[in-house]
Amino acid sequence: MAIDFYDRLNLLTSYIEQHLDDEIDYAQLAHFTGLSLGTLRRLFPLFSGMNFSEYLRKRRLSLAAKDLVQG
């Protein structure tokens, strides 16, 4: 049974969350999810509402803010 689209999105978000402290690029994500690079570049903004670099920046900033609040 092939991995469906929603499973790939779950893999994508899991990979990003586990590697927020690392350098991540579209090629790594495409390889990990089994999507082509072109498909991932088109789909990521559709499901996240922003481009990949903006998404990463916002996630990293939200984690930094959480760390500051927690001391």
Side-chain angles (χ1 to χ4, degrees):
M1 181 175 171
I3 297 175
D4 73 8
F5 178 72
Y6 295 105
D7 290 334
R8 290 177 197 266
L9 290 179
N10 285 331
L11 282 174
L12 176 70
T13 54
S14 293
Y15 183 88
I16 291 170
E17 291 301 314
Q18 292 172 8
H19 294 89
L20 278 174
D21 292 333
D22 305 330
E23 289 295 319
I24 307 172
D25 63 22
Y26 270 120
Q28 288 171 306
L29 292 175
H31 176 74
F32 184 76
T33 58
L35 296 170
S36 73
L37 190 56
T39 299
L40 184 59
R41 285 185 189 271
R42 286 189 306 275
L43 292 179
F44 192 89
L46 293 176
F47 95 87
S48 69
M50 61 193 84
N51 68 40
F52 178 64
S53 60
E54 183 179 359
Y55 179 85
L56 271 181
R57 183 177 54 81
K58 286 185 176 188
R59 282 297 299 129
R60 288 171 175 160
L61 285 172
S62 68
L63 288 179
K66 180 182 170 187
D67 287 346
L68 285 173
V69 168
Q70 292 178 345

